[in-house]
């Protein structure tokens, strides 16, 4: 099991940033499509992907897969274990992501009303070109949960 963090609202500050890098493989796309029932051809066929995106070199990674990977960061890295997701509002993707592409995720704390925290999320490619943005509201773990979490390691 991966090592997690567990940050309470009192441990966070407005303006605090967290950076992560994500990449997706074809088998992850297949698993996501099977679990979600999203069998859009652009996620299964390079030919279909090229009809929508002429420069496509591969299938398109589903936006929902990217979204759940970002929410995975919330539950493991920032703020970490014990947080509860309330909302995740993505903007449209400005360009497609293909298996093997790396994307950078920047998460910024924009508001804290303990235990609720609000975050802005920016996805860019390694060259810094914007892929998408999103906003999220989470409930950070409380001190009791953090104490339990600390006792588990």
């Amino acid at each position: 099991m991966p090592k997690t963090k567990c940050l309470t609202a009192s441990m966070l500050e407005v303006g605090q940033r967290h950076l992560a890098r994500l990449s997706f493989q074809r088998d992850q796309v297949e698993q996501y499509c099977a679990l979600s029932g999203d069998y859009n051809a652009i996620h299964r066929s390079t030919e279909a992907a090229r009809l929508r995106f002429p420069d496509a070199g591969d299938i398109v990674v589903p936006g929902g897969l990217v979204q759940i990977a970002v929410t995975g960061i919330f539950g493991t890295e920032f703020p970490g274990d014990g947080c509860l997701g309330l909302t995740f509002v993505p903007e449209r993707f400005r360009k497609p992501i293909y298996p093997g592409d790396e994307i950078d995720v920047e998460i910024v704390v924009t508001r804290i009303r303990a235990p609720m925290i609000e975050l802005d999320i920016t996805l860019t490619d390694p060259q810094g070109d914007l892929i998408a943005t999103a906003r999220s509201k989470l409930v950070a773990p409380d001190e009791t949960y953090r104490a339990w979490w600390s006792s588990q390691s």
Side-chain angles (χ1 to χ4, degrees):
M1 174 126 90
K3 179 71 175 144
T4 61
K5 294 182 182 175
C6 182
L7 303 175
T8 64
S10 66
M11 300 168 79
L12 300 170
E13 299 175 359
V14 171
Q16 187 172 351
R17 297 182 181 313
H18 179 81
L19 302 173
R21 182 165 275 184
L22 298 173
S23 182
F24 303 92
Q25 304 308 314
R26 278 178 150 266
D27 65 323
Q28 292 172 303
V29 171
E30 290 170 11
Q31 290 171 358
Y32 173 83
C33 290
L35 287 170
S36 68
D38 180 355
Y39 291 107
N40 187 325
I42 66 172
H43 306 316
R44 298 179 289 118
S45 163
T46 304
E47 181 181 357
R50 283 193 190 119
L51 290 171
R52 296 289 302 167
F53 305 100
D55 295 334
D58 204 343
I59 60 174
V60 175
V61 174
L65 177 56
V66 177
Q67 181 178 331
I68 62 170
V70 171
T71 63
I73 294 169
F74 298 158
T76 56
E77 298 175 32
F78 190 80
D81 201 314
C83 84
L84 304 172
L86 297 177
T87 64
F88 188 98
V89 182
E91 180 188 77
R92 73 175 177 86
F93 278 70
R94 297 178 182 273
K95 64 184 211 172
I97 299 169
Y98 305 107
D101 287 355
E102 291 185 330
I103 60 171
D104 293 323
V105 180
E106 180 182 43
I107 302 168
V108 180
V109 177
T110 57
R111 187 172 186 190
I112 301 171
R113 292 180 308 169
M116 187 182 308
I117 60 172
E118 295 180 22
L119 307 168
D120 280 351
I121 300 102
T122 304
L123 307 177
T124 57
D125 65 21
Q127 292 73 42
D129 293 329
L130 182 64
I131 296 171
T133 60
R135 292 186 173 212
S136 192
K137 291 181 183 178
L138 308 174
V139 175
D142 61 18
E143 295 298 335
T144 302
Y145 187 92
R146 181 169 166 74
W148 171 84
W149 175 85
S150 294
S151 74
Q152 301 302 302
S153 20

